[in-house]
């Protein structure tokens, strides 16, 4: 339950990248921000419906269009945009379209990430293009969106919020995760630098670092023995729900978090405690 006003983001406009999954941090965050009163732009890559997991197919899920419908159900405006966060042209078009249709940009959530899979092998087996893709989406995408979003926020002169979705993999290295570790460590460092540069404009920049989370992203490992072995290693004994991560992100976007910046905040049930 929120302790602040349920509509404390009224009049604000948020962008959430990677928000098309039925089970995902992006969708959950978009809903939290809409509930708090913000209008929300949700982005995705235009996934082929044939690749949707069974629960999405059964639900008639339509990627970012369905997320946008949920945002509107909270009485907020929604704008679904298909784009590539690694393209500077696409990112600038996203900002321009947001301003044209919704008037401003106050909040940016950099959630887009490359799919879990081909990178989760020993370093000596990781293909160069796979390694680069993980970093391009996570690091270059976060940089491009943050740069364009910050320029717009500075122009508006009303402050703002940038929240970059990192991971506990940005706090501790693990075997068979070199590309993902490298990307998330980079996002954490980038966010620290960004927070110091934007502080004079009253724009905060923080990371949220989830651990094991029940989302479609982890479907490749299944929900069998490996899943429950991992869950058992979490001190609280379970994965996070996507909405729990979304609630933390919503708090960081609220006026209540105005003095929090440059942080990489863990939400992992106690599995990793590194700062």
């Amino acid at each position: 339950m929120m302790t602040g006003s349920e509509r404390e983001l009224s009049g604000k406009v948020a962008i959430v990248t990677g928000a098309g999954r039925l089970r995902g941090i992006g969708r959950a965050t978009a809903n939290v921000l809409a509930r708090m009163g913000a209008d929300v732009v949700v982005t995705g890559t235009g996934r082929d419906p044939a690749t949707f997991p069974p629960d999405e197919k059964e639900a008639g899920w339509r990627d970012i269009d369905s997320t946008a419908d949920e945002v509107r159900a909270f009485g907020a405006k929604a704008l679904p945009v298909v784009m590539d966060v690694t393209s500077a042209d696409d990112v600038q078009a996203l900002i321009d379209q947001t301003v044209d249709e919704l008037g401003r940009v106050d909040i940016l959530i950099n959630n887009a990430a490359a799919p879990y899979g081909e990178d989760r092998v020993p370093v000596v087996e990781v293909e160069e293009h796979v390694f680069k893709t993980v970093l391009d989406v996570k690091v270059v995408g976060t940089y491009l969106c943050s740069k364009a979003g910050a320029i717009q926020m500075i122009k508006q002169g009303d402050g703002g919020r940038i929240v970059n979705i990192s991971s506990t993999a940005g706090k501790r290295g693990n075997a068979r995760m070199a590309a993902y570790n490298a990307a998330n460590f980079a996002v954490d460092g980038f966010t620290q630098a960004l927070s110091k540069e934007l502080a004079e404009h009253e724009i905060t920049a923080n990371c949220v670092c989830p651990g094991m989370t029940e989302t479609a992203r982890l479907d490749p490992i299944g929900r069998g023995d490996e899943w429950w072995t991992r869950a058992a290693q979490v001190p609280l004994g379970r994965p996070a729900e996507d909405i729990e991560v979304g609630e933390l992100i919503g708090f960081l976007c609220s006026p209540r978090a105005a003095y929090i910046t440059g942080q990489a905040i863990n939400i992992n049930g106690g599995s990793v405690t590194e700062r």
Side-chain angles (χ1 to χ4, degrees):
M1 180 178 293
M2 293 176 58
T3 57
S5 167
E6 286 289 328
R7 307 295 291 178
E8 60 191 325
L9 295 181
S10 292
K12 303 295 186 183
V13 174
I15 296 173
V16 183
T17 67
R21 293 279 196 166
L22 175 60
R23 289 173 290 120
I25 291 170
R27 174 221 176 196
T29 301
N31 280 315
V32 168
L33 296 176
R35 190 193 70 208
M36 294 171 71
D39 295 329
V40 187
V41 179
V42 291
T43 84
T45 58
R47 289 185 297 146
D48 180 352
T51 68
F52 289 8
D55 60 330
E56 292 187 350
K57 291 178 179 178
E58 291 170 8
W61 190 252
R62 296 175 294 112
D63 201 66
I64 55 174
D65 289 321
S66 288
T67 302
D69 286 345
E70 293 183 333
V71 166
R72 296 184 188 106
F74 286 99
K77 295 178 182 177
L79 177 62
V81 178
V82 174
M83 52 88 67
D84 176 1
V85 297
T86 71
S87 164
D89 288 343
D90 276 17
V91 170
Q92 189 58 54
L94 169 68
I95 299 298
D96 292 344
Q97 185 177 356
T98 300
V99 173
D100 288 346
E101 299 197 29
L102 299 178
R104 56 190 298 111
V105 177
D106 301 286
I107 295 164
L108 171 64
I109 314 299
N110 286 309
N111 176 64
Y116 179 109
E118 293 181 291
D119 61 306
R120 302 305 172 96
V121 296
V123 173
V124 294
E125 298 176 15
V126 177
E127 296 289 341
E128 181 180 349
H129 76 276
V130 172
F131 193 95
K132 287 181 176 178
T133 295
V134 172
L135 269 70
D136 279 349
V137 177
K138 194 76 173 179
V139 183
V140 177
T142 295
Y143 148 69
L144 289 173
C145 291
S146 295
K147 177 181 178 180
I151 289 171
Q152 179 61 33
M153 292 177 194
I154 292 168
K155 180 180 178 180
Q156 292 166 184
D158 298 319
R161 299 283 189 272
I162 297 175
V163 181
N164 297 324
I165 311 308
S166 179
S167 167
T168 52
K171 303 292 185 74
R172 177 189 294 176
N174 292 284
R176 304 171 72 92
M177 290 178 61
Y180 195 60
N181 282 140
N184 285 289
F185 270 86
V187 167
D188 288 0
F190 172 77
T191 303
Q192 289 182 20
L194 189 67
S195 70
K196 290 177 168 58
E197 294 178 1
L198 298 181
E200 65 179 290
H201 303 288
E202 297 187 0
I203 300 169
T204 66
N206 291 289
C207 279
V208 167
C209 303
M212 184 182 186
T213 306
E214 175 53 276
T215 67
R217 178 175 175 77
L218 293 185
D219 284 356
I221 68 173
R223 296 298 184 273
D225 291 345
E226 181 180 354
W227 176 264
W228 293 110
T229 297
R230 291 190 186 194
Q233 294 170 351
V234 177
L236 286 181
R238 64 172 179 87
E241 297 293 330
D242 53 12
I243 190 64
E244 293 177 305
V245 181
E247 293 284 6
L248 173 57
I249 296 166
F251 166 72
L252 290 173
C253 295
S254 76
R256 292 170 286 137
Y259 201 61
I260 301 174
T261 196
Q263 305 305 305
I265 301 172
N266 294 333
I267 177 166
N268 58 39
S271 60
V272 173
T273 56
E274 284 89 341
R275 289 186 289 176

